[in-house]
Amino acid sequence: MARILTVDDEPVILNILNKILISNGYDVSPAKNGEEAMHLLEKETFDLLISDINMEPVNGMEVLRFAREKSPETQVIMLTAFGTVSTAVEAMKCGAYDYITKPFKLDELQITVQRALEYGNVLAENKGLKERLMATNRLDNIVSESDGMKQVCEMIERVAPTDTTVLIYGESGTGKELVARALHQYSNRKKEEFIAVNCAALPEPLLESEMFGHVKGAFTGATSNKEGLFESAHGGTLFLDEIGAMPLAIQSKLLRVLQDMQIRRVGGTQNVAVDVRLIAASNERLESLIEQGRFREDLFYRLSVITIDIPPLRERVTDILPLVQHFLKRRARPDQPTISIDHEAEIILERHPWPGNVRELENVIQHALAFAENNTITRSALPPKLVESVGEMPAGESGSHAAASSQAAKFKGKSLKAFLRSKEKEYLSNVMNNLNGDKEKAAQALDISVATLYRKLSDKS
Ligand SMILES: Nc1ncnc2c1ncn2[C@@H]1O[C@H](COP(=O)(O)OP(=O)(O)OP(=O)(O)O)[C@@H](O)[C@H]1O
Ligand SMILES: [Mg+2]
């Protein structure tokens, strides 16, 4: 039942209005003045507000503005005395759906109310559709056919909107940076910077000044003040890639920053507050680095509030062909024909163990596109080394979906019926040989008629 809030400071009008609406089956809440209406709007939700314009001390325009702000889904119809139509038009510019002049005609009121409610429903439906569309398209740049990747995507959707520190594990090329970017993209920080720093790429002093900045004269070559990445990422996300390679001295400094969310530039004396979400990635387990004394345990606990494990590609074979299609689509040009891939090439790709994971697959597809003939990627378009390595691999060894599909190919055209028939023949001839070709004895032993035995022996299929 649609819920309608009515407000008019003339009790007679409010009364008539309510009677009509209630008799039409609506759930009506009456308010004696603008203040009371605002109070109800704050507490409850309504599908429609019908408000008089001329009221004291809070007039209908104020109620309208309040309703638009507090409850944009509520449709609004203004009631106006004859002669104040210009105010009603003004109200429509402020978001009212329509207006009715007093004294109102019964059918005019009914139709306008009905239309306003339908309009509200359409808007709500549209919003729902958009949200659902957003939900299905959200992580559309991350291929996730396998259960493993589906779980990763679920985690991204869940933790992205929070400010939690996330630690991403995954072998080289599994998509750690892609996941980190998605975490930023679907967070409330998306309008601010996503800055990535590779902790393995810079020697200690450089990494320190890169991350925290430095002041002029802090060291030889520091000719001016420099802002660090923490400051640049303020309001956004800082991605610390290969965190396991971070020198211990910088780990301590990072820990302090995480504790007070303040940084101090190298050589500086002042602390600067920073608001940064941290995402870290590693292809080595930090626990084993802790055991080796190469990583601070306290920092590990700070970083690993949420851990996302990206499985290697060999453990999610069902992602391989969808990834191939993803890369083919990504490279497609509108003016060029689409490129497809044949079954044999697909089997080869499914059987390869992909030590370089998704990045290796992406490179292989790039190679294959350059060598594709007749717009098709066949075995000969794939890198010869890859084809050779797969060829040498005995079927069944990979223990995967790929192995299963090549095993299936082995049984192609071999139905259960054909198998049973051949086994039957084998048994019949065995029995016949043992009984020196005596058909009667054989039929007896097999518990079938001699005629059936004859038919079976003469069956050439
Ligand atoms: N699930 C996926 N769907 C689509 N593309 C992917 C997926 N996983 C990885 N990629 C692509 O593979 C490439 C490698 O991914 P990325 O750079 O994120 O990996 P990484 O784990 O950070 O690698 P490295 O350890 O070498 O730094 C990128 O081009 C990325 O877009
Ligand atoms: Mg990376």
Side-chain angles (χ1 to χ4, degrees):
M1 201 195 296
R3 300 202 65 210
I4 303 178
L5 171 63
T6 53
V7 46
D8 199 315
D9 56 359
E10 288 175 63
V12 182
I13 301 205
L14 188 63
N15 210 3
I16 299 174
L17 191 60
N18 292 344
K19 277 199 177 133
I20 299 171
L21 294 172
I22 290 168
S23 70
N24 278 282
Y26 297 117
D27 176 2
V28 185
S29 303
K32 290 192 293 294
N33 52 47
E35 263 172 321
E36 201 179 310
M38 285 177 173
H39 186 63
L40 283 170
L41 277 167
E42 210 153 31
K43 273 201 325 203
E44 299 171 38
T45 52
F46 296 96
D47 301 299
L48 179 64
L49 160 71
I50 303 179
S51 172
D52 184 27
I53 291 184
N54 288 324
M55 293 185 293
E56 292 281 338
V58 177
N59 70 29
M61 288 301 283
E62 287 170 73
V63 178
L64 167 67
R65 281 195 205 98
F66 185 83
R68 298 308 293 160
E69 198 190 307
K70 288 277 171 210
S71 166
E73 298 83 29
T74 306
Q75 296 306 308
V76 184
I77 295 173
M78 305 305 284
L79 292 176
T80 171
F82 194 71
T84 52
V85 171
S86 59
T87 325
V89 172
E90 194 57 35
M92 287 179 69
K93 282 191 196 149
C94 292
Y97 171 76
D98 207 345
Y99 67 90
I100 300 172
T101 42
K102 291 195 274 190
F104 45 78
K105 292 192 201 87
L106 187 64
D107 55 352
E108 188 194 0
L109 172 73
Q110 286 169 336
I111 290 174
T112 313
V113 165
Q114 214 172 337
R115 281 210 198 120
L117 288 169
E118 272 168 23
Y119 180 69
N121 285 343
V122 170
L123 286 189
E125 212 171 288
N126 229 337
K127 193 168 163 242
L129 282 176
K130 253 192 208 152
E131 276 167 6
R132 252 175 288 155
L133 205 67
M134 282 282 285
T136 47
N137 286 346
R138 276 188 87 177
L139 296 168
D140 62 356
N141 62 335
I142 302 186
V143 171
S144 55
E145 199 59 38
S146 63
D147 288 345
M149 276 316 282
K150 279 198 179 110
Q151 272 171 23
V152 168
C153 287
E154 219 169 87
M155 283 287 270
I156 295 173
E157 288 185 333
R158 235 183 251 183
V159 303
T162 71
D163 261 348
T164 321
T165 306
V166 181
L167 175 62
I168 307 169
Y169 279 127
E171 287 181 9
S172 164
T174 44
K176 295 185 294 294
E177 184 154 350
L178 186 71
V179 168
R181 283 182 188 278
L183 283 168
H184 173 72
Q185 208 176 332
Y186 296 106
S187 75
N188 303 326
R189 299 172 172 264
K190 62 172 178 267
K191 291 207 179 80
E192 304 299 329
E193 296 273 338
F194 171 91
I195 295 181
V197 50
N198 188 329
C199 304
L202 297 171
E204 183 174 330
L206 264 183
L207 179 63
E208 187 177 7
S209 87
E210 192 70 17
M211 282 177 63
F212 307 111
H214 61 244
V215 296
K216 187 176 171 183
F219 47 84
T220 339
T223 51
S224 58
N225 289 339
K226 185 175 173 283
E227 183 183 87
L229 296 177
F230 260 101
E231 283 173 87
S232 314
H234 184 71
T237 306
L238 185 61
F239 175 49
L240 299 175
D241 205 357
E242 304 207 37
I243 185 99
M246 183 180 274
L248 281 164
I250 301 188
Q251 287 179 31
S252 318
K253 201 160 177 184
L254 176 62
L255 182 69
R256 274 202 304 279
V257 173
L258 287 177
Q259 275 159 352
D260 353 309
M261 275 326 223
Q262 290 195 337
I263 59 112
R264 184 180 289 189
R265 292 184 182 181
V266 176
T269 50
Q270 277 176 349
N271 287 348
V272 182
V274 283
D275 165 27
V276 170
R277 184 203 197 158
L278 262 201
I279 301 179
S282 173
N283 49 18
E284 288 172 274
R285 288 275 145 191
L286 295 184
E287 292 92 325
S288 64
L289 297 183
I290 293 170
E291 270 170 31
Q292 295 163 32
R294 287 165 54 204
F295 206 85
R296 289 185 67 120
E297 195 169 10
D298 41 10
L299 178 60
F300 166 71
Y301 287 119
R302 281 259 167 193
L303 292 175
S304 60
V305 180
I306 298 280
T307 302
I308 296 183
D309 265 289
I310 311 180
L313 191 53
R314 65 183 170 280
E315 284 175 17
R316 45 184 170 107
V317 179
T318 46
D319 280 340
I320 294 176
L321 297 183
L323 276 167
V324 170
Q325 291 307 325
H326 173 79
F327 293 136
L328 288 179
K329 219 183 286 167
R330 206 160 73 179
R331 307 220 176 267
R333 299 280 166 271
D335 53 329
Q336 284 172 4
T338 48
I339 309 283
S340 57
I341 174 162
D342 76 355
H343 186 59
E344 189 188 11
E346 282 184 343
I347 298 269
I348 293 170
L349 295 181
E350 279 194 318
R351 291 186 64 186
H352 184 61
W354 301 109
N357 294 293
V358 185
R359 178 171 294 111
E360 186 188 359
L361 177 60
E362 192 176 10
N363 292 342
V364 164
I365 294 303
Q366 205 167 355
H367 172 107
L369 281 169
F371 289 91
E373 280 175 15
N374 303 321
N375 303 321
T376 311
I377 294 173
T378 59
R379 176 194 184 96
S380 59
L382 299 175
K385 270 207 174 123
L386 184 141
V387 177
E388 265 169 44
S389 72
V390 168
E392 286 157 10
M393 195 169 68
E397 190 146 282
S398 68
S400 61
H401 172 77
S405 51
S406 73
Q407 287 287 12
K410 222 166 79 181
F411 295 112
K412 221 173 167 183
K414 295 183 182 168
S415 70
L416 180 62
K417 226 169 169 177
F419 171 79
L420 292 174
R421 213 177 288 139
S422 78
K423 283 288 163 201
E424 188 181 82
K425 278 208 162 143
E426 212 176 290
Y427 187 52
L428 288 181
S429 69
N430 211 347
V431 173
M432 289 289 284
N433 284 343
N434 275 300
L435 298 172
N436 301 320
D438 187 332
K439 293 195 179 70
E440 253 166 68
K441 273 195 187 143
Q444 230 175 0
L446 295 165
D447 199 23
I448 53 174
S449 70
V450 179
T452 305
L453 180 65
Y454 264 105
R455 192 168 40 75
K456 285 193 180 291
L457 289 173
S458 57
D459 187 359
K460 293 281 179 286
S461 68

